[in-house]
């Protein structure tokens, strides 16, 4: 009897340990769901979107996340918005991406800071207002890794530099994958000031707008969960030659832009 | 019944704590590298709730007037053990604590050395790096290390090294060099001219996979400079002190060069970071301790660094 109780108490301690680090929906259920989607129904529909995330955050500062859509963007039915949330981050809202039928495909890949063991979830909102959610549990990184940029000097020297990249040659009238690289330190603000030991203000990219010949392709609202040097992959559909343009605004109101002449 | 639970729980917790403390204590020994220069050999483990982060090599140098501590350990308890080890060996007072870089396994013993007359020395970037990372490291200390670290455990440097600094310990001069961004952006090395020993800390990993957390290209540049030095002993941040330290330096250089070459090639081919993480350098598996834990982090880090090369 006594031994079994001791074992039970041992297990209890282990359980507490597991729970504190384990798979946990409470933040989402108790807070985040109501905060972002108050009173709305969210369906679990894997036939709308999928999310890819590594099983473990190898580097807390840079966790590659990819959301892929399983439907084509048409005028009748399209994904209007995808919201990314990291439940256990100090600021769970990571980003919100707005798409149009012109996006071709509502896919988006980015790099996130994941502070601890947490669900990373993507919620798709359709043009008719329906919501669909997918999620992946990401284990925290170990060791010395911290969710900030490592070389602040290098990042500041490049501040505002931007690049477009295309993994393959651009084809007309079909969705083409593009990558946008933005150099910005995205300082989290969770930092200790040397003198006061108070928290310093954050400094990060707040808005990203990509257009093709003036038409919106991808518009994003981003927060500090986005890794330093924000990096996005998305689709666009060029009907003919034209200009792909990205405009980025940071929390200091600085505006950076980059254009690329697309010749399909 | 309720009290039984509380008692059994606290007994178990108490037992656990004693066990853990005993483990650190038992493992804490220092070895002589050269006359008046000692180091404690760490272990090739990930910081966890059993070792409380105490995995790195830490040590000290004894002069006629002053002792300089070479990294304070991973937690206040390890710092205290190091201090006790120093006091057993010499009556000379501790004047300096040199923090080789920002990583928690090297600096969170600082608090145990904080008293009047002790000055903390760090790279000019150390204060900034601590400000950026300290809250995160302390916040997750319970989850990751099984101990509670607070902002009180963070000691900012009294002396910031911009370039280099000569430190006279009395009949023994240390040359402290601030390096460019390499393992981290706050790396110091310490040369003890008397014994021709170079304390490289995490600028050199022996056996344990090198971890890139500053700049890969910067690190390779620093290694080139370091390989030219004519010195007898080198103390790495992880792994044993070897007679032929150049072999260890070359081994590290070849792993880092492989990362540079392969990641750069993938970026040129238009491949994405996910592909690089899955494919780069798998041949090196088995050649290093903790490869599975840190190799993918290295690829991730290096990919993000090299994306901005052109």
């Amino acid at each position: 009897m006594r031994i079994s109780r001791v074992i039970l108490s041992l297990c209890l301690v282990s359980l507490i340990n597991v729970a504190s680090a384990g798979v946990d929906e409470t933040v989402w259920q108790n807070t985040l769901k109501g905060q972002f989607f108050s009173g709305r129904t969210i369906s679990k529909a894997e036939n709308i979107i999928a999310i890819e995330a590594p099983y473990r955050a190898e580097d807390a500062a840079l966790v590659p996340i990819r959301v892929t859509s399983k439907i084509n963007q048409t005028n009748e039915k399209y994904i209007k918005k995808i919201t990314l949330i990291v439940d256990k981050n100090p600021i769970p809202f990571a980003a919100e991406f707005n798409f149009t039928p012109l996006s071709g495909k509502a896919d988006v890949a980015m790099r996130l800071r994941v502070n601890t063991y947490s669900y990373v979830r993507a919620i798709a909102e359709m043009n008719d207002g329906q919501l669909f959610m997918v999620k992946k549990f990401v284990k925290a990184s170990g060791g010395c890794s911290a969710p900030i940029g490592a070389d602040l000097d290098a990042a500041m020297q490049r501040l505002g530099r931007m690049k477009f990249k295309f993994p393959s040659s651009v084809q007309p009238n079909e969705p083409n994958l593009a990558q946008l690289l933005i150099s910005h330190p995205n300082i989290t603000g969770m930092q200790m000031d040397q003198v006061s030991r108070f928290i310093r203000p954050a400094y990060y990219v707040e808005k990203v707008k990509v257009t093709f010949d003036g038409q919106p392709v991808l518009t994003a609202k981003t927060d500090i969960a986005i890794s330093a040097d924000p990096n996005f992959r998305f689709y666009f559909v060029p009907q003919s030659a034209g200009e792909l343009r990205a405009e980025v605004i940071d929390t200091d109101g600085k505006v950076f832009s980059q254009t690329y002449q697309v010749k399909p | 019944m309720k009290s039984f639970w509380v008692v059994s729980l606290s007994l178990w917790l108490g037992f656990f704590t004693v066990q853990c403390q005993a483990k650190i204590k038992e493992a804490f020994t220092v070895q002589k590298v050269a006359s008046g220069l000692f180091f404690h050999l760490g272990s090739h483990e990930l910081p966890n709730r059993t070792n409380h982060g105490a995995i790195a090599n830490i040590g000290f140098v004894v002069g006629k007037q002053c002792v300089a501590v070479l990294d304070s350990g991973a937690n206040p308890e390890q710092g205290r053990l190091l201090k006790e080890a120093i006091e057993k060996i010499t009556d000379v007072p501790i004047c300096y604590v040199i923090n080789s870089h920002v990583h928690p396994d090297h600096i969170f013993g600082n608090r145990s050395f904080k008293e009047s007359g002790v000055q903390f020395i760090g790279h000019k970037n150390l204060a900034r790096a601590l400000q950026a990372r300290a809250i995160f490291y302390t916040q997750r200390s319970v989850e990751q290390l099984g101990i509670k670290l607070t902002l009180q455990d963070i000691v900012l440097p009294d002396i910031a090294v911009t370039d280099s600094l000569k430190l006279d310990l009395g009949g023994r001069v240390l040359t402290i060099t601030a390096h460019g961004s390499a393992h981290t952006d706050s790396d110091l090395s310490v040369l003890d001219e008397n014994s021709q020993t170079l304390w490289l800390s995490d600028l050199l990993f022996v056996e344990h996979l090198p971890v890139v957390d500053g700049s890969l290209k910067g690190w390779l540049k620093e290694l080139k400079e370091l390989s030219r030095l004519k010195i007898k002993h080198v103390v790495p941040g992880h792994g044993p002190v070897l007679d032929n330290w150049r072999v260890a330096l070359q081994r590290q250089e070849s792993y880092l060069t492989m990362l540079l070459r392969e990641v750069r090639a993938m970026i040129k081919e238009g491949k994405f970071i996910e592909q690089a993480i899955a494919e780069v350098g798998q041949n090196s598996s088995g050649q290093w301790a903790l490869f599975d834990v840190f190799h993918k982090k290295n690829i991730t880090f290096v990919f993000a660094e090299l994306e901005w090369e052109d």
Side-chain angles (χ1 to χ4, degrees), chain A residues 110-187:
Chain A
M110 81 232 69
R111 301 164 182 181
L112 295 183
R113 295 176 164 130
V114 178
N115 283 40
T116 186
Y117 297 81
S118 176
Y119 270 116
V120 177
R121 53 186 87 233
I123 300 99
E125 181 174 344
M126 309 301 293
N127 57 327
D128 64 3
Q130 281 193 82
L131 297 171
F132 297 100
M133 179 167 79
V134 284
K135 64 186 180 189
K136 268 267 156 70
F137 189 76
V138 176
K139 284 178 73 179
S141 65
C144 54
S145 168
I148 54 154
D151 199 336
L152 186 62
D153 291 331
M156 285 309 286
Q157 275 163 22
R158 293 191 306 254
L159 177 72
R161 245 191 90 192
M162 287 160 75
K163 287 197 266 194
F164 275 115
K165 280 186 168 184
F166 305 90
S168 48
S169 65
V170 177
Q171 303 297 317
N173 298 316
E174 61 180 72
N176 285 270
L177 189 58
Q179 187 176 25
L180 173 65
L181 290 78
I182 304 161
S183 193
H184 198 288
N186 260 27
I187 295 167

Side-chain angles (χ1 to χ4, degrees), chain A residues 10 13 56 58 111 116 141 143-145 147 150-151 153 161 163 191-192 194 197 200 231 233, chain B residues 4 12 49 103 128 131 136-137 140 143 151 154 181 185 213 272 274 293 297 301 307-308 310:
Chain A
L10 283 176
V13 172
R56 194 175 69 118
E58 306 294 346
R111 301 164 182 181
T116 186
S141 65
C144 54
S145 168
D151 199 336
D153 291 331
R161 245 191 90 192
K163 287 197 266 194
Q191 304 189 353
M192 183 178 71
Q194 181 167 7
R197 297 209 161 201
R200 261 204 231 158
N231 189 309
R233 302 201 303 262
Chain B
F4 170 79
W12 157 242
R49 297 193 215 179
H103 284 157
R128 185 181 74 182
Q131 287 158 39
F136 173 73
Y137 286 150
R140 69 173 203 168
E143 169 200 292
L151 293 188
I154 297 150
S181 189
D185 71 351
D213 204 19
F272 299 136
E274 294 91 335
V293 182
K297 174 190 156 40
F301 187 95
E307 265 174 333
W308 292 97
D310 54 357

Side-chain angles (χ1 to χ4, degrees), chain B residues 118 139 227 255 280 295:
Chain B
V118 178
Q139 271 173 350
S227 67
Y255 169 75
V280 165
H295 179 60

Side-chain angles (χ1 to χ4, degrees), chain B residues 38 60-64 67 85-94:
Chain B
F38 298 84
F60 57 95
V61 197
V62 185
K64 286 201 178 79
V67 168
I86 295 169
E87 285 161 357
K88 255 183 228 158
I89 286 170
T90 179
D91 291 333
V92 176
I94 297 166

Side-chain angles (χ1 to χ4, degrees), chain B residues 19-304:
Chain B
Q19 279 288 303
C20 295
Q21 279 172 355
K23 192 174 182 235
I24 295 187
K25 212 162 225 171
E26 194 184 302
F28 202 87
T29 52
V30 292
Q31 307 172 29
K32 193 191 254 182
V33 179
S35 169
L37 199 151
F38 298 84
F39 93 118
H40 163 75
L41 179 65
S43 55
H44 300 322
E45 291 171 30
L46 196 65
N48 60 35
R49 297 193 215 179
T50 309
N51 60 34
H52 307 307
I55 53 160
N57 295 343
I58 57 176
F60 57 95
V61 197
V62 185
K64 286 201 178 79
Q65 272 98 48
C66 280
V67 168
V69 174
L70 304 168
D71 281 343
S72 60
N75 55 58
E77 171 67 5
Q78 201 192 17
R80 215 175 48 71
L81 291 171
L82 178 62
K83 201 173 170 195
E84 279 176 15
I86 295 169
E87 285 161 357
K88 255 183 228 158
I89 286 170
T90 179
D91 291 333
V92 176
I94 297 166
C95 309
Y96 307 103
V97 173
I98 302 169
N99 288 150
S100 68
H101 63 292
V102 71
H103 284 157
D105 49 335
H106 297 261
I107 56 158
F108 274 117
N110 276 358
R111 189 182 191 172
S112 298
F113 293 96
K114 196 161 168 55
E115 54 187 79
S116 65
V118 178
Q119 287 189 296
F120 289 77
I121 301 174
H123 189 286
K124 71 167 172 22
N125 291 341
L126 181 65
R128 185 181 74 182
L130 280 169
Q131 287 158 39
R133 292 166 178 246
I135 287 183
F136 173 73
Y137 286 150
T138 54
Q139 271 173 350
R140 69 173 203 168
S141 59
V142 173
E143 169 200 292
Q144 295 276 317
L145 305 177
I147 46 167
K148 176 109 187 98
L149 295 171
T150 69
L151 293 188
Q152 303 309 311
D153 291 303
I154 297 150
V155 182
L156 297 171
D158 302 304
I159 302 170
V161 186
T162 304
D163 206 3
S164 75
L165 175 75
K166 296 255 182 210
L167 210 58
D168 192 347
L169 304 182
R172 188 161 203 159
V173 177
L174 301 182
T175 306
I176 304 174
T177 304
H179 295 269
S181 189
H183 167 61
T184 66
D185 71 351
S186 57
D187 299 326
L188 290 183
S189 66
V190 182
L191 176 66
D192 172 41
E193 278 148 38
N194 275 30
S195 68
Q196 284 297 293
T197 304
L198 182 63
W199 185 277
L200 271 186
S201 188
D202 284 7
L203 284 165
L204 177 66
F205 283 74
V206 177
E207 296 163 1
H208 179 308
L209 188 78
V211 180
V212 193
D213 204 19
S215 161
L216 174 74
K217 285 162 81 178
W219 200 352
L220 284 166
K221 202 173 115 202
E222 295 298 328
L223 288 177
K224 198 160 271 172
E225 299 281 320
L226 291 168
S227 67
R228 294 198 189 104
L229 292 175
K230 289 184 173 60
I231 34 165
K232 238 175 164 164
H233 316 285
V234 165
V235 186
H238 297 268
V241 175
L242 302 173
D243 287 339
N244 198 346
W245 57 272
R246 274 168 221 281
V247 173
L249 205 77
Q250 277 160 14
R251 211 164 160 264
Q252 171 170 289
E253 201 177 357
S254 90
Y255 169 75
L256 296 176
T257 307
M258 175 280 292
L259 276 181
L260 179 75
R261 194 180 56 238
E262 291 196 18
V263 173
R264 191 182 262 163
M266 287 194 99
I267 292 171
K268 284 231 166 81
E269 288 165 28
K271 301 249 172 78
F272 299 136
I273 197 165
E274 294 91 335
Q275 291 164 279
I277 291 169
E279 291 167 25
V280 165
Q282 288 305 319
N283 295 342
S284 305
S285 169
Q287 295 171 24
W288 296 96
L290 299 175
F291 181 88
D292 292 342
V293 182
F294 291 115
H295 179 60
K296 286 182 173 174
K297 174 190 156 40
N298 285 341
I299 300 168
T300 308
F301 187 95
V302 169
F303 196 98

